[in-house]
Amino acid sequence: MKYALNTKGLIDCSADCLVVAIPESGTWPASADTADKQEDGLLRRVVKQGDFSGKLGSTMLLPLNGKPWSRILMVGAGKLDSITVQQFRKIAIAALGRLKDAGSKHALLTLAELPVKDRDEAWRVAFLARACEESLYRFTEFKSEKTPARALKQITLDVSAADASLEQALQTGQSVGHGMNLARDLGNTPGNVCTPRWLAKHAKDLAKEFDCVETEILDEKQMKALGMNTLLSVSAGSAEPARLIVMQYKGGKAKDKPHVLVGKGITFDTGGISLKPGEAMDEMKFDMCGAASVLGAMRAIAELKPKINVVGVIASAENMPGSAATRPGDIIKTMSGQTVEILNTDAEGRLVLCDALTYVERFKPATVVDIATLTGACIIALGHHAAGLLSNDDNLAKALLEAGERTGDRAWQLPLWDEYQSQLDSNFADIQNIGGRPAGTITAACYLSRFTKDYTWAHLDIAGVAWLSGKEKGATGRPVPLLMDYLLSHAG
Ligand code: BES
Ligand code: MN
Ligand code: ZN
């Protein structure tokens, strides 16, 4: 999609569709007023006759004579005086949802003038560009019938004045959207195609496309030599070999310590010998969404080229119950030297992550954030609106929570108190890989914390936010917006 900013009058823009927000009550936004005057009171008549109420997220497309617009799309803005980030998203998604399969080739959006609570115009521009990318996403790779190309080729955002910070915001929003959509493509791809080697190929391709990214892939032999035994214990039952994917972006000074992202990349999670029940097991193809968010963020970083250093690491394996699979009760030595009693092979995410978290010590990181669809318990605790956040550093936790608030890609902090650690005590090894039913998300993070003592670290449990189930089943691209906001906040 092509994007532009419009600072001329609405009528002087060559768009064939004008998109205006109509509130349920109170004063209309300036653009809606202008459009109404231009069309001799048509918009107010539509409202007055009871055909459009302005209810949040409702839409109405008015066909016109082409002078100056072939159509006006009215979008309900609800109660204009208190628009939250989530409501703004709903308005934008509704507008694009109506537009994407209509006949318009070039739409002029006036939604950046809406008064979103505590957000400035640059934020609104970035958010709209991102929301457009999100709405226009489709995943048709595996449909036999070819999907027809869309008419819509350009989106112009009407803004108050030409300004370099708005141009930058437009670019940022687009790139974050691209990163989200890449993460969704990877997440939606089924486990028979999306394997550790296939993810590695995507990381290699990213380095080919962008000179500023370097990718290195470690195979099982190289991981064995490093002592990454718990990671390898997960792929032991699968015919698909594991991969450790390391992507480096160097946009800062050589001495600037990198921000490291570590993603869980289980390309399919059957549970292993501790086999999962059959119902909805297909959704375990999404168990690499942490990895997908790392790849998505790396792509967005490569597009935007901020002055920071970022390392993206993906620990990827398939968790299958083959004859060489790890047994419950097996004791394995991690790369850190600590031994783990694997009581449940379905708690495999922490097993691949712990070795990756030890591996990243070599980068002398400024911060490390791991992203993982780690526990079903996180869905019970927080549902589908917030990611679980746990950290060994309150400043890092605060920075990530704020990034979530700013982008509407929210997280919520859970405690990482010492009192929970004893749930991981093992009779036979240094640690066991499960902590029982109470506080499953916290004890999973406690397990990881045993491997992150030497640096500033946070863990995002994205089991509830990375994908939707039911009719809208699919990957969401979260938490790419949170990660990008966090990373860019270090770019000055
Ligand atoms: N990938 C799952 C977590 C998960 C489950 C995410 C359901 C989304 C929906 C993870 O590998 C897992 O199986 N975790 C277990 C841990 C338990 C055995 C301690 C879980 O949550 O049941
Ligand atoms: Mn599992
Ligand atoms: Zn898993």
Side-chain angles (χ1 to χ4, degrees):
M1 185 61 55
K2 195 173 161 236
Y3 293 90
L5 297 178
N6 182 58
T7 52
K8 302 177 291 192
L10 291 183
I11 294 152
D12 301 321
C13 174
S14 64
D16 61 20
C17 178
L18 179 74
V19 181
V20 292
I22 309 291
E24 250 170 327
S25 56
T27 327
W28 280 23
S31 300
D33 243 355
T34 307
D36 185 52
K37 291 209 175 81
Q38 175 69 26
E39 300 298 334
D40 301 323
L42 173 66
L43 277 63
R44 289 199 190 271
R45 206 153 59 238
V46 167
V47 171
K48 196 152 174 243
Q49 289 177 353
D51 294 320
F52 189 76
S53 68
K55 187 170 161 287
L56 187 80
S58 60
T59 59
M60 179 147 187
L61 194 64
L62 307 173
L64 298 171
N65 64 5
K67 285 181 249 137
W69 306 293
S70 303
R71 49 188 86 64
I72 287 180
L73 178 66
M74 298 165 77
V75 192
K79 294 184 178 56
L80 253 197
D81 44 339
S82 65
I83 300 184
T84 64
V85 172
Q86 319 298 332
Q87 287 167 339
F88 190 54
R89 182 163 187 278
K90 208 165 166 188
I91 295 167
I93 299 275
L96 266 294
R98 183 67 188 84
L99 268 184
K100 65 185 176 192
D101 297 312
S104 169
K105 294 184 186 67
H106 178 184
L108 175 58
L109 265 62
T110 64
L111 304 177
E113 76 187 281
L114 296 181
V116 185
K117 196 166 181 290
D118 298 333
R119 306 298 143 120
D120 63 12
E121 191 175 24
W123 181 92
R124 300 193 298 266
V125 165
F127 194 85
L128 282 174
R130 175 191 132 196
C132 288
E133 285 297 311
E134 279 184 66
S135 289
L136 295 168
Y137 177 81
R138 50 184 179 183
F139 185 71
T140 54
E141 178 87 28
F142 296 90
K143 300 272 192 195
S144 336
E145 211 171 304
K146 216 169 147 27
T147 22
R150 286 186 172 131
L152 192 62
K153 296 283 182 278
Q154 179 168 344
I155 294 171
T156 299
L157 304 181
D158 192 60
V159 293
S160 59
D163 175 342
S165 76
L166 295 185
E167 290 288 348
Q168 182 59 49
L170 182 65
Q171 194 55 56
T172 303
Q174 276 177 73
S175 291
V176 172
H178 295 159
M180 292 178 83
N181 287 348
L182 170 61
R184 293 162 85 183
D185 276 344
L186 299 174
N188 288 333
T189 302
N192 61 326
V193 175
C194 176
T195 61
R197 285 179 293 179
W198 187 83
L199 281 181
K201 189 183 169 298
H202 272 272
K204 279 272 185 205
D205 288 348
L206 192 68
K208 269 189 216 138
E209 190 177 341
F210 296 97
D211 287 339
C212 53
V213 177
E214 280 169 38
T215 297
E216 190 192 353
I217 310 294
L218 274 64
D219 63 17
E220 292 200 335
K221 205 170 143 223
Q222 290 164 297
M223 286 191 270
K224 182 91 204 136
L226 285 167
M228 305 182 93
N229 298 313
T230 48
L231 193 158
L232 293 170
S233 78
V234 175
S235 63
S238 168
E240 285 295 334
R243 290 290 182 264
L244 188 80
I245 303 169
V246 184
M247 293 167 281
Q248 296 199 52
Y249 166 82
K250 291 174 184 158
K253 299 195 184 76
K255 67 166 178 33
D256 294 345
K257 291 180 167 180
H259 293 278
V260 177
L261 305 178
V262 178
K264 169 179 172 181
I266 299 298
T267 57
F268 196 81
D269 181 13
T270 64
I273 297 298
S274 313
L275 194 63
K276 285 184 181 295
E279 199 192 319
M281 204 208 269
D282 67 286
E283 296 192 5
M284 283 302 123
K285 73 172 180 180
F286 295 120
D287 212 15
M288 35 57 69
C289 280
S293 73
V294 172
L295 264 157
M298 291 306 285
R299 158 165 279 275
I301 288 288
E303 284 185 11
L304 293 168
K305 301 187 177 45
K307 291 189 172 62
I308 46 170
N309 295 328
V310 182
V311 179
V313 172
I314 290 170
S316 189
E318 186 183 50
N319 190 19
M320 295 285 260
S323 64
T326 300
R327 291 152 287 260
D330 284 3
I331 295 176
I332 310 279
K333 190 181 225 150
T334 63
M335 185 179 176
S336 74
Q338 300 173 78
T339 56
V340 181
E341 184 185 13
I342 299 178
L343 288 179
N344 190 321
T345 62
D346 196 12
E348 84 298 337
R350 61 199 80 180
L351 299 176
V352 297
L353 286 172
C354 69
D355 281 343
L357 288 167
T358 302
Y359 179 86
V360 301
E361 280 174 14
R362 68 189 56 210
F363 298 112
K364 311 239 172 327
T367 61
V368 177
V369 179
D370 79 72
I371 308 103
T373 49
L374 206 61
T375 62
C378 193
I379 310 177
I380 304 301
L382 297 173
H384 300 284
H385 300 295
L389 168 69
L390 299 103
S391 177
N392 64 10
D393 184 277
D394 281 340
N395 289 325
L396 176 58
K398 190 163 165 274
L400 291 166
L401 289 170
E402 284 171 2
E405 284 301 329
R406 274 198 297 271
T407 52
D409 184 10
R410 288 188 289 197
W412 195 258
Q413 192 174 6
L414 299 172
L416 197 61
W417 295 325
D418 278 344
E419 285 75 5
Y420 292 101
Q421 293 281 354
S422 60
Q423 286 176 240
L424 298 173
D425 289 349
S426 160
N427 283 358
F428 305 106
D430 298 339
I431 183 174
Q432 61 187 38
N433 79 326
I434 52 171
R437 299 240 324 146
T441 303
I442 297 174
T443 55
C446 283
Y447 177 95
L448 297 177
S449 76
R450 308 279 183 116
F451 303 86
T452 62
K453 294 210 165 89
D454 291 342
Y455 49 70
T456 305
W457 158 79
H459 160 65
L460 285 168
D461 193 328
I462 59 165
V465 300
W467 74 88
L468 301 170
S469 307
K471 214 171 120 277
E472 292 177 289
K473 190 191 286 187
T476 60
R478 290 179 68 182
V480 171
L482 180 158
L483 295 174
M484 285 304 297
D485 187 280
Y486 168 71
L487 291 173
L488 293 177
S489 73
H490 293 284

